[in-house]
Amino acid sequence: MCRQVQQRSIDPVRAQLAIEDLGDFPLEIFPSLPLRGRVWELRDNLTAAEGFFVALAEQVDEPLATKDHGLALAARTHTNVTVIELTARA
């Protein structure tokens, strides 16, 4: 978000409010070690980081939401995970 403020694509006051809102966002932490076997299986089509996102989506049986078109395409092609491809606001 800092980059967007510097580029003036986001108002600094709105950015500050968004940062403050992060404290109210419910987060759940998941250990990554149980996912490593699946990440290894995905190694030919996804980076390790991408593989962890996909493996976690599979484990919790939730869709994978991403703005990364390449990740969305690879996940759709090489896994059964549901993909929600996000787009940038105009």
Side-chain angles (χ1 to χ4, degrees):
M1 191 172 321
C2 292
R3 181 177 301 151
Q4 288 87 352
V5 170
Q6 291 171 341
Q7 295 172 344
R8 301 186 192 281
S9 62
I10 294 178
D11 176 69
V13 174
R14 178 63 191 112
Q16 180 64 39
L17 292 171
I19 299 273
E20 291 171 10
D21 287 345
L22 282 176
D24 297 330
F25 194 77
L27 295 177
E28 189 170 345
I29 306 296
F30 291 90
S32 60
L33 286 179
L35 305 174
R36 62 188 165 178
R38 179 63 175 139
V39 173
W40 181 251
E41 292 171 358
L42 296 168
R43 71 188 180 280
D44 291 336
N45 301 297
L46 299 168
T47 67
E50 293 169 341
F52 275 107
F53 288 126
V54 169
L56 180 59
E58 290 175 337
Q59 177 181 316
V60 297
D61 195 27
E62 291 289 340
L64 173 69
T66 182
K67 284 185 174 182
D68 184 328
H69 178 70
L71 171 55
L73 180 62
R76 283 186 185 112
T77 304
H78 302 289
T79 73
N80 291 325
V81 72
T82 299
V83 177
I84 301 170
E85 194 163 355
L86 305 171
T87 58
R89 286 185 178 178

